[in-house]
Amino acid sequence: MTPLLEARNVSKRFGPVVALKNVSMRVYAGEVHCLLGDNGAGKSTLIKIFSGVFPPDEGTLLVDGAPVRFQSPKDAMDRGIATVYQDLAMIPLMSIVRNFFLGREPTTGWGPFRRFDLKKAEKIAAEELEKIGIHVRDVHQAVGTLSGGERQSVAIARAVHFGARVLILDEPTSALGVKEAAVVLRYIVEAKSRGVGVVFITHNVHHAWAVGDVFTLLNRGEQVGTFRREETTREEVLQMMAGGEALERLEVELAEFARQERRTR
Amino acid sequence: MNVRRLLARPELGSLAGVLLVFGFFAFVAGDRGFLSARGTLNYLEVAAQLGLLAATVSLLMIAGEFDLSVGSMIGAAGMALAIPVAIWGWPMWAGIGLAFLVAAAFGALNGYLVVRTGLPSFIVTLASLFILRGATLGFTRWITSRTRVSGLHEFTTGDPLAPFFSGDPLGIPISVWWWVALTLFASYLLFRTPFGNWIFGVGGDPKAAHAVGVPVARVKITLFIATAMSAALLAVIQVLDTGSADVLRGELKELEAIAAAVIGGNLLTGGYGSVVGGALGALLLGMVKQGIFFTGINTDWFKVFLGTLLLAAVLLNNYLRKKALEAPR
């Protein structure tokens, strides 16, 4: 099977800083590909290359097996690659239906009488919300009335509705509570079952393990490895993450700190 | 439309304000002419002149920007019409065309500077407020050696364009007709077209709007052109009505228009509001301005009312907006 989206040996430098070094990654339809790593590991740089924010310095980007060079995020969107950013997902004061269709409003009428087809928009938005299990009384209520998890889910539903084949989710669960995160994770699984290829960026290994099929680990711009779920365990993934190392170190330090506390008391 | 959605409308507070103020003046000054046809037309005309500006200023505010130069634009556009017609003998259509052209060009410049520099529009248009007023004074004195051009009735009476900008069709001042038409059009644009949806998006979060493909810069520049053009429209109506243009005309109108928009429930920081709210805000201010006159209270006190109203309206609107955002499901 040809991957929907592939990065082949991509590198990216910002001045003297090497942000990504020789990283390869394949995203297949119907698969959740988790991109893991600590802050500064290069996750954001890689997804910005995927979503057309900037091109790689070296290496190739391929869509459906053919090399591409995106000039802008819109290029990537036109090829079915949609990115949902944690902080840019939705506009709180706007209604759900207006948010859902912002920038891609359905219209009716012609010429100067072309207008926003709100009836159609309301119908579609209500259907899409129903599909992801979010029940609202009125799609005209402000997005601000939704919970953080619901907002992320609606943003994802919007991307899928507008034909995303590859969905890049930038830390969609990091600002959410446990229940909220579960809402988003459930919807990630649903998007996957519809045949969407999902790139899921997180530094929460529990969230990754709950939905991931493949795990790619980055550390300081380098690829630690790519593992299929059946080849590894959660503990192993946790260990390999820079976050895992840091956690171990932190535990040692905390233990040392506690000992000293006891002694001084 | 259900009741809850109705209660979440931004103009609810200003509607309550209009009813309250109307009730007050009807009670206090109803027998002194406030309720008469003349009294009504009188405050409607004052409201209309402000409302013309409030319609476009509301749109711009919802898009997250200010235009403090509309007041200066009234003086500038008036001169751009009066000087060519009265001094150089241009035909009226050319003078009106020049007034709108000057406004469009200056509005585009305002918008371009805001978009390009990323400076707050408050600062950019505060600069244009001074530059435009100064340039109007400078050019007018240079060309006419005075600060006022009068006697335009001589040129405008009988002109085929005059009925569109002067007189009282069906007994109602022309400015009221324009006000209603512009408000309906701008409201339709805001709520029923893709462009209107972009306005909300641009004001709500320009980065998020840009990320989903909304042409943020184009929306803003278009709206700066619109505010300047509405100032020019008001200037043309005033010049044809009074037969004169004055360099100082329109002073402080920019702040009154912003006050009307804010009283109407438009959020100062953008992303929320309505054009009808701005129109109700203008109606409220017009009613208070003229109503005070009918009560016999010294009109010196008008600005005290204006400021108090503004503060009360903003507090009420804040409360209502918060309610809308915590609506239960």
Side-chain angles (χ1 to χ4, degrees):
Chain A
M1 195 165 68
T2 321
L4 292 175
L5 180 64
E6 179 178 1
R8 214 177 268 173
N9 304 327
V10 297
S11 298
K12 182 80 191 173
R13 270 179 304 274
F14 295 105
V17 182
V18 180
L20 272 186
K21 203 162 137 194
N22 210 20
V23 172
S24 296
M25 182 172 161
R26 291 174 175 169
V27 185
Y28 290 95
E31 226 173 56
V32 176
H33 196 136
C34 297
L35 191 54
L36 307 166
D38 207 0
N39 291 331
K43 299 182 306 251
S44 304
T45 308
L46 186 55
I47 63 159
K48 278 179 179 156
I49 289 172
F50 278 147
S51 56
V53 175
F54 43 62
D57 294 332
E58 283 159 38
T60 347
L61 207 59
L62 302 99
V63 174
D64 299 319
V68 289
R69 200 173 170 81
F70 297 140
Q71 301 297 322
S72 69
K74 198 173 172 307
D75 274 1
M77 264 197 266
D78 291 343
R79 296 299 302 263
I81 298 162
T83 310
V84 177
Y85 295 98
Q86 184 201 335
D87 49 339
L88 294 179
M90 293 261 135
I91 301 175
L93 275 171
M94 276 175 88
S95 69
I96 297 167
V97 59
R98 285 183 174 274
N99 258 289
F100 198 95
F101 290 96
L102 182 59
R104 280 170 293 203
E105 295 81 4
T107 56
T108 175
W110 48 272
F113 303 105
R114 208 170 61 93
R115 57 193 186 277
F116 189 177
D117 192 347
L118 269 169
K119 281 244 162 59
K120 190 172 164 190
E122 283 164 14
K123 196 166 155 283
I124 296 172
E127 281 170 10
E128 291 293 330
L129 257 63
E130 204 56 42
K131 267 190 220 164
I132 59 176
I134 294 176
H135 306 283
V136 290
R137 204 187 282 170
D138 184 358
V139 289
H140 279 282
Q141 72 193 47
V143 157
T145 61
L146 297 177
S147 71
E150 288 172 333
R151 278 183 228 184
Q152 284 290 331
S153 300
V154 174
I156 297 169
R158 172 174 65 180
V160 173
H161 174 77
F162 286 108
R165 298 185 304 141
V166 177
L167 196 55
I168 300 173
L169 306 174
D170 183 17
E171 310 242 1
T173 56
S174 68
L176 305 178
V178 178
K179 269 190 188 164
E180 293 280 271
V183 173
V184 176
L185 293 176
R186 200 182 66 205
Y187 192 54
I188 290 175
V189 175
E190 254 189 65
K192 163 190 151 172
S193 68
R194 284 203 228 170
V196 175
V198 180
V199 179
F200 177 28
I201 293 97
T202 178
H203 36 299
N204 187 322
V205 76
H206 305 287
H207 291 169
W209 192 256
V211 296
D213 297 303
V214 190
F215 305 88
T216 289
L217 283 105
L218 298 180
N219 186 14
R220 298 197 183 98
E222 291 189 49
Q223 193 162 7
V224 179
T226 295
F227 309 92
R228 297 204 60 84
R229 188 190 181 86
E230 51 276 14
E231 301 165 356
T232 183
T233 64
R234 191 176 69 179
E235 286 63 37
E236 217 177 334
V237 173
L238 186 59
Q239 285 307 315
M240 279 183 292
M241 281 175 72
E245 267 172 45
L247 271 179
E248 257 175 33
R249 223 173 24 244
L250 185 68
E251 267 168 33
V252 174
E253 277 169 24
L254 280 175
E256 177 66 21
F257 182 71
R259 258 202 307 281
Q260 281 176 4
E261 277 283 277
R262 266 198 302 277
R263 218 174 299 152
T264 49
R265 211 177 275 164
Chain B
M1 189 177 284
N2 59 38
V3 177
R4 215 192 48 72
R5 208 191 290 172
L6 208 65
L7 287 175
R9 304 241 1 136
E11 56 272 69
L12 187 71
S14 55
L15 184 63
V18 164
L19 294 177
L20 202 72
V21 166
F22 180 81
F24 173 76
F25 284 117
F27 181 72
V28 174
D31 52 352
R32 289 187 231 175
F34 179 75
L35 289 175
S36 69
R38 256 191 78 195
T40 305
L41 286 179
N42 189 279
Y43 69 69
L44 277 183
E45 187 167 11
V46 172
Q49 299 217 348
L50 185 57
L52 281 177
L53 302 175
T56 54
V57 166
S58 295
L59 288 183
L60 185 66
M61 195 180 284
I62 296 167
E65 303 291 350
F66 286 107
D67 187 352
L68 294 177
S69 69
V70 287
S72 299
M73 181 50 74
I74 295 169
M79 280 302 166
L81 162 62
I83 292 175
V85 172
I87 313 281
W88 302 334
W90 288 21
M92 221 198 21
W93 63 263
I96 291 175
L98 183 69
F100 281 114
L101 203 69
V102 166
F106 204 81
L109 181 68
N110 270 338
Y112 179 78
L113 284 175
V114 167
V115 167
R116 196 58 206 261
T117 60
L119 290 171
S121 51
F122 187 93
I123 300 300
V124 172
T125 60
L126 183 62
S128 3
L129 177 154
F130 292 123
I131 294 171
L132 198 55
R133 186 69 75 185
T136 307
L137 180 60
F139 275 118
T140 305
R141 187 106 67 182
W142 181 42
I143 295 166
T144 69
S145 26
R146 279 170 301 154
T147 59
R148 197 182 160 80
V149 176
S150 45
L152 267 102
H153 280 316
E154 186 190 326
F155 305 97
T156 57
T157 326
D159 190 283
L161 277 177
F164 290 101
F165 302 104
S166 58
D168 306 67
L170 305 178
I172 294 167
I174 193 77
S175 56
V176 177
W177 291 104
W178 274 106
W179 176 38
V180 171
L182 192 64
T183 300
L184 290 178
F185 173 73
S187 192
Y188 168 82
L189 191 77
L190 182 64
F191 287 112
R192 289 284 176 269
T193 68
F195 187 79
N197 208 36
W198 299 352
I199 294 177
F200 280 115
V202 164
D205 187 341
K207 278 193 189 140
H210 184 74
V212 293
V214 174
V216 174
R218 204 178 88 207
V219 170
K220 287 190 177 178
I221 293 173
T222 306
L223 292 177
F224 274 106
I225 294 174
T227 51
M229 296 274 275
S230 70
L233 175 61
L234 177 55
V236 170
I237 291 172
Q238 285 186 341
V239 168
L240 265 64
D241 184 41
T242 61
S244 70
D246 193 302
V247 289
L248 291 183
R249 205 164 271 163
E251 259 190 332
L252 290 182
K253 279 289 175 212
E254 64 282 335
L255 295 185
E256 282 184 30
I258 287 172
V262 169
I263 288 172
N266 291 291
L267 186 58
L268 209 62
T269 46
Y272 184 83
S274 88
V275 177
V276 171
L280 288 171
L283 181 59
L284 192 65
L285 293 185
M287 244 182 220
V288 173
K289 210 175 205 172
Q290 298 312 105
I292 289 179
F293 173 77
F294 286 110
T295 58
I297 301 171
N298 192 326
T299 48
D300 292 350
W301 295 95
F302 166 65
K303 280 182 184 153
V304 177
F305 280 87
L306 174 71
T308 312
L309 256 173
L310 184 60
L311 205 57
V314 175
L315 288 173
L316 177 63
N317 287 333
N318 261 350
Y319 172 76
L320 290 173
R321 192 171 53 248
K322 234 166 69 197
K323 281 279 160 215
L325 271 181
E326 64 195 27
R329 278 185 277 143

